[in-house]
């Protein structure tokens, strides 16, 4: 059973510590996570606190943590989960949650990373307390071991531009299953030396653009959020607040743009075709037009669209292949040509590469994903060669705008 919770602003009697609560809504399924979990149990409920949302945490920016709650009893349970950072013990973030009988639910609460951490810039230690909200007096619930708190850790990303990717993890095994990921990585690497990529794997996004505050760019290459009204609203607000969003229209349906922009929907899809010869034309900032022609063994999907209220960056046979739109303080990029049309295979002549050519194995793809998501700034230095793709010049120009600091 899923239930959207509510926040309360209240004063805690625990040592005079103030509880900072925020208005936040949303539920999600458990996503892939690389950080430690904090688990607090009692005889009535199990509360699991873990990273969520973008799975990226930047000092002095908002992020979220997931609360997974289980009530195995025949009576409802109400708890108050409060988290605080070790370096800021007087500032707490939490949520009051009512759990129906014999049910499980997942929700979130926001958390603001301190500007600095005594454990180092990549480690932010936090603690979670669980309070029995049904009592007249606030009573801490002990864990099975008798502890009144449980320690957890969030990995911080400092001084790096962070790009998020929403893709379909169930495409594993398909020929182009990693195409969006490799295009993002090679475009990012061609523009900034130590970019960070994080993968938004949850089926639902939290409600509230604060959950995306750690991102500088976001790429959507999957339709799964099209029915997530709260998540789309969060992305829309984040975009209009200054975010940079890239929608790969060859991998999503046109309805996603319509749901995202509403009355400002950009284009109408005419059809989808496969091209074995791609003739790209790109207009540079000085007004000159560069032309490139590339032949492909396998057809490259191309979505032909009509529209007017956008800035065309590249065309294929006169049809828009990439275009921009200013949305409030943010910028929206839409590409209609599949990833293979924007990049080529890396050869031994590229940067003295050892590339074997061809599509990467699943182990190589996993290694690149792990390196891209690693908080270690040098991780991608050794993993970059494992991606067998180099962005074509049109994509390099687009990337220089999209990944601008």
């Amino acid at each position: 059973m899923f239930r959207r919770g509510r926040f309360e602003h209240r004063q805690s009697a625990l040592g005079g510590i103030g509880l900072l609560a925020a208005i936040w809504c949303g539920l999600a399924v458990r996503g892939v996570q690389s950080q430690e979990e904090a688990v607090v149990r009692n005889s009535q409920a199990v509360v699991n606190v873990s990273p969520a949302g973008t799975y990226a945490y930047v000092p002095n920016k908002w992020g979220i943590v997931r609360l997974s709650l289980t009530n195995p009893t025949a009576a409802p349970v109400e708890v108050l989960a409060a988290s605080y950072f070790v370096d800021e013990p007087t500032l707490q973030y939490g949520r009051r949650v009512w759990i129906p009988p014999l049910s499980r639910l997942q929700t979130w609460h926001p958390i603001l990373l301190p500007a600095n951490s005594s454990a180092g810039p990549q480690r932010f230690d936090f603690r979670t307390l669980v309070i029995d909200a049904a009592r007249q007096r606030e009573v801490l619930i002990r864990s099975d071991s008798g502890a009144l708190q449980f320690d957890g850790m969030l990995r911080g990303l400092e001084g790096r531009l962070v790009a998020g990717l929403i893709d379909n993890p169930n495409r594993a095994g398909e020929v182009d299953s990693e195409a969006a990921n490799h295009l993002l990585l090679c475009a990012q690497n061609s523009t900034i030396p130590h970019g960070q990529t994080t993968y938004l794997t949850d089926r639902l996004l939290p409600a509230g653009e604060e959950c995306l505050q750690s991102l500088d760019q976001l790429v959507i290459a999957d339709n799964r959020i099209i029915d997530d009204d709260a998540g789309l609203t969060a992305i829309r607000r984040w975009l209009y607040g200054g975010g940079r969003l890239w929608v790969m229209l060859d991998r999503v349906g046109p309805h996603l743009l319509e749901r995202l922009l509403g009355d400002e929907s950009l284009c109408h899809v005419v059809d989808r075709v496969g091209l074995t010869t791609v003739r790209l034309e790109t207009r540079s900032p000085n007004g000159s037009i560069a032309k490139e022609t590339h032949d492909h063994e396998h057809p490259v999907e191309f979505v032909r669209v009509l529209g007017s209220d956008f800035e065309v960056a590249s065309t294929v046979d006169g049809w828009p292949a990439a275009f921009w739109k200013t949305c409030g303080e943010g910028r929206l990029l839409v590409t209609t040509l599949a990833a293979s049309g924007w990049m080529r295979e890396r050869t031994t002549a590229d940067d003295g590469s050892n590339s074997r050519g061809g599509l990467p194995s699943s182990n190589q793809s996993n290694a690149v994903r792990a390196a891209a998501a690693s908080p270690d700034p040098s991780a991608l230095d050794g993993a970059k060669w494992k991606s067998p793709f180099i962005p074509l010049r049109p994509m390099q120009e687009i990337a220089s705008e999209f990944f601008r600091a």
Side-chain angles (χ1 to χ4, degrees):
M1 175 184 296
F2 289 103
R3 178 184 179 87
R4 295 190 182 273
R6 57 188 174 87
F7 282 93
E8 282 190 4
H9 181 82
R10 58 182 297 174
Q11 296 296 322
S12 172
L14 304 176
I17 296 177
L19 175 63
L20 177 65
I23 299 175
W24 202 280
C25 297
L27 298 172
V29 297
R30 182 185 183 92
V32 176
Q33 59 195 53
S34 60
Q35 295 146 336
E36 297 176 4
E37 292 183 349
V39 181
V40 181
R41 299 171 181 270
N42 64 48
S43 58
Q44 291 183 315
V46 177
V47 180
N48 182 312
V49 184
S50 61
T54 65
Y55 298 89
Y57 298 90
V58 177
N60 212 30
K61 287 189 176 182
W62 286 94
I64 62 167
V65 291
R66 177 190 292 111
L67 301 177
S68 301
L69 306 107
T70 302
N71 178 12
T73 71
V77 175
E78 189 170 15
V79 300
L80 177 63
S83 303
Y84 66 92
F85 289 101
V86 173
D87 293 316
E88 293 184 344
T90 60
L91 189 60
Q92 295 187 354
Y93 309 86
R95 189 163 195 172
R96 186 182 185 116
V97 184
W98 183 82
I99 317 171
L102 301 173
S103 64
R104 298 177 181 177
L105 66 83
Q106 294 182 355
T107 186
W108 303 273
H109 74 66
I111 196 163
L112 177 65
L113 262 68
N116 300 289
S117 172
S118 59
Q122 296 179 5
R123 182 186 178 101
F124 289 80
D125 295 318
F126 73 96
R127 290 171 180 163
T128 297
L129 310 174
V130 180
I131 301 168
D132 187 346
R135 305 287 185 92
Q136 291 184 349
R137 296 178 56 191
E138 292 182 336
V139 178
L140 286 174
I141 298 174
R142 294 180 179 271
S143 66
D144 290 340
S145 62
L148 293 176
Q149 65 186 29
F150 194 95
D151 296 337
M153 183 270 289
L154 300 176
R155 293 178 179 173
L157 304 172
E158 186 175 24
R160 304 179 69 182
L161 295 179
V162 182
L165 174 62
I166 298 177
D167 200 0
N168 185 355
N170 297 323
R171 281 180 171 154
E174 297 180 13
V175 174
D176 64 343
S177 62
E178 290 289 331
N181 182 43
H182 282 287
L183 178 58
L184 169 59
L185 287 179
C186 72
Q188 184 186 55
N189 292 343
S190 71
T191 306
I192 52 180
H194 297 302
Q196 174 78 27
T197 301
T198 184
Y199 302 95
L200 283 65
T201 56
D202 293 343
R203 182 173 59 87
L204 299 177
L205 290 180
E209 66 273 23
E210 294 86 354
C211 72
L212 302 172
Q213 195 180 74
S214 61
L215 298 182
D216 298 284
Q217 300 90 22
L218 176 61
V219 180
I220 300 179
D222 183 63
N223 274 319
R224 75 171 185 271
I225 65 168
I226 195 169
D227 295 321
D228 181 6
D229 292 337
L232 284 174
T233 299
I235 293 175
R236 183 186 307 115
R237 290 176 177 172
W238 171 84
L239 169 64
Y240 278 81
R244 290 178 180 267
L245 176 64
W246 178 357
V247 175
M248 296 184 177
L249 200 60
D250 63 291
R251 299 174 75 88
V252 304
H255 297 304
L256 191 144
L257 277 179
E258 295 174 5
R259 295 290 307 277
L260 183 66
L261 300 178
D263 293 337
E264 297 186 33
S265 183
L266 288 181
C267 59
H268 169 70
V269 173
V270 176
D271 58 13
R272 293 174 180 257
V273 296
L275 303 176
T276 54
T277 299
V278 177
R279 290 176 286 269
L280 275 166
E281 292 189 8
T282 304
R283 183 179 297 275
S284 64
N286 61 14
S288 63
I289 296 178
K291 298 182 179 181
E292 295 187 17
T293 300
H294 299 272
D295 294 322
H296 297 265
E297 181 179 355
H298 301 286
V300 178
E301 184 172 359
F302 181 48
V303 184
R304 299 194 292 193
V305 301
L306 294 175
S308 57
D309 189 20
F310 51 70
E311 310 159 32
V312 177
S314 294
T315 62
V316 172
D317 299 331
W319 296 87
F323 51 89
W324 295 92
K325 180 177 175 62
T326 298
C327 300
E329 299 295 323
R331 292 279 278 170
L332 170 65
L333 167 66
V334 178
T335 53
T336 60
L337 183 66
S340 56
W342 295 109
M343 56 189 181
R344 62 170 176 82
E345 290 187 6
R346 184 185 293 272
T347 68
T348 55
D350 296 312
D351 306 321
S353 170
N354 298 338
S355 175
R356 301 172 185 174
L359 291 172
S361 67
S362 59
N363 290 337
Q364 286 177 313
S365 297
N366 292 337
V368 172
R369 278 183 176 264
S374 170
D376 181 3
S378 64
L380 268 176
D381 293 345
K384 182 177 178 181
W385 70 271
K386 296 178 183 178
S387 176
F389 301 108
I390 294 287
L392 300 178
R393 180 166 298 180
M395 177 50 61
Q396 292 179 13
E397 294 190 10
I398 292 170
S400 67
E401 168 69 17
F402 183 71
F403 293 105
R404 182 181 299 174

